[in-house]
Amino acid sequence: MISSSLRNRLLSLLALTLFGCASLAFAENPFIGRWALTIPGGAAGWLGVENKDGQLAASILWGGGSVVPVQGVKVDGEVLKVTRISKPKNAKTQAADEVTETISATLDGDTMKLSTVKTKADGKEFGKAEFAGHRIPPVPPAPDLSKVKFGEPITLFNGKDLTGWELINPKADNGWSVADGLLLNRVEKGKHFGNLRTVQEFEDFNITLETRTQKESNSGIYLRGIYEIQVAETYGKPLDPHNMGALYSRITPTVAAEKPIGEWQTFDITLVDRHVTVILNGQKIIDNQPVLGCTGGAMTSDEMKPGPIYLQGDHTNIDYRNIVLRPVVK
């Protein structure tokens, strides 16, 4: 007969062995990591897979909007299966119809091949599509910003006209104009207004500018066309990753530094080695924090390439002035 103490030791050893096997399985899971996606239609997307509290978990960015958790994720053989559930409103009945989307992914090294299919509550499938992704390299260590060298300042907005700027979509309605030295965006209901980008593209840099929100303003400053620093009328609201100065849906400001509507507000933003620092109205609200992927509305999910500064203009009215960029000298 096995003594109780020996039995307990054996049970402990078995538990440790099983835990070790589970940990090893997670460690060897090739899907764990961050993935840059080009989703159906060509928009930028992102998928993050991780071991969270001993369970597989995932979050996804699907074109616009926020990074959100998925409803299910598992590995079936050599296939990653991700489940998303949505409840879009039926145009005829106005009722919420549940739709389950299943995304399947396989790997070839650091390249991901994906397919998607949506299923209605009655079992009917639709929306089948194939798309691709690639593994995002690890974020490097936080840079020592005191040792970073910046080049001569580049005035991106001359205060006279839109020289050096263009619509991302030339077919969109143009709400951008220049008056009294200000860059203005004015939109109208029922029209699709465009986002404005610099013709010139950049890698790492520091950019300073001033902005003035209007009633319910919702705009954004996209760094390299990939990462959105939120510009919104959020004065007096509690901290949130969608508020003024946030890295949209990814990094929440540490302090609410917004000014009331109609006042000019200053931004001082530094992007170096995929780390971002944001100073809003003289207060540091994001301090050299790593950026884990693109944000909603990004022009591309490829974080390794240079890109423009782009100002979101497809939502509401907004004003900008004194836009100056200093590129990092490498």
Side-chain angles (χ1 to χ4, degrees), residues 181-227:
L182 308 180
L183 177 58
L184 310 175
N185 186 57
R186 297 294 182 265
V187 303
E188 303 172 30
K189 289 185 178 181
K191 293 184 178 182
H192 180 73
F193 286 85
N195 300 316
L196 193 69
R197 58 157 287 176
T198 58
V199 175
Q200 193 170 355
E201 297 190 341
F202 309 95
E203 293 185 54
D204 288 350
F205 53 81
N206 168 264
I207 184 171
T208 57
L209 57 82
E210 294 176 76
T211 186
R212 182 173 60 184
T213 58
Q214 310 294 315
K215 183 180 179 181
E216 299 180 347
S217 278
N218 183 353
S219 181
I221 306 158
Y222 280 78
L223 316 178
R224 283 199 278 134
I226 301 174
Y227 310 125

Side-chain angles (χ1 to χ4, degrees), residues 104-244:
S104 301
T106 57
L107 295 180
D108 181 6
D110 287 337
T111 299
M112 180 176 275
K113 182 178 180 181
L114 305 101
S115 63
T116 180
V117 60
K118 297 178 181 179
T119 307
K120 296 181 179 180
D122 60 6
K124 291 183 179 180
E125 294 184 346
F126 70 104
K128 292 183 178 180
E130 295 183 351
F131 57 109
H134 65 268
R135 186 184 296 277
I136 300 172
V139 178
D144 183 346
L145 297 180
S146 67
K147 297 180 180 179
V148 175
K149 295 182 179 180
F150 295 94
E152 292 298 313
I154 301 170
T155 300
L156 297 181
F157 172 55
N158 63 19
K160 300 176 182 178
D161 54 38
L162 293 176
T163 298
W165 296 82
E166 62 185 12
L167 289 179
I168 292 177
N169 178 5
K171 295 182 180 180
D173 292 308
N174 187 4
W176 297 95
S177 64
V178 179
D180 300 322
L182 308 180
L183 177 58
L184 310 175
N185 186 57
R186 297 294 182 265
V187 303
E188 303 172 30
K189 289 185 178 181
K191 293 184 178 182
H192 180 73
F193 286 85
N195 300 316
L196 193 69
R197 58 157 287 176
T198 58
V199 175
Q200 193 170 355
E201 297 190 341
F202 309 95
E203 293 185 54
D204 288 350
F205 53 81
N206 168 264
I207 184 171
T208 57
L209 57 82
E210 294 176 76
T211 186
R212 182 173 60 184
T213 58
Q214 310 294 315
K215 183 180 179 181
E216 299 180 347
S217 278
N218 183 353
S219 181
I221 306 158
Y222 280 78
L223 316 178
R224 283 199 278 134
I226 301 174
Y227 310 125
E228 180 189 7
I229 302 300
Q230 173 75 324
V231 176
E233 179 46 53
T234 57
Y235 177 75
K237 296 184 178 181
L239 295 174
D240 189 275
H242 303 88
N243 283 5
M244 184 80 155

Side-chain angles (χ1 to χ4, degrees), residues 89 100-101 121 131 274:
K89 190 175 286 187
T100 300
E101 180 178 18
F131 57 109
R274 285 188 282 159

Side-chain angles (χ1 to χ4, degrees), residues 294-329:
C294 64
T295 59
M299 296 174 63
T300 177
S301 60
D302 187 351
E303 300 176 71
M304 303 301 111
K305 61 189 296 186
I309 300 299
Y310 106 59
L311 304 176
Q312 191 175 50
D314 61 350
H315 287 353
T316 62
N317 298 342
I318 193 72
D319 303 341
Y320 290 100
R321 70 182 182 187
N322 298 332
I323 309 173
V324 178
L325 182 144
R326 294 182 298 149
V328 169
V329 176

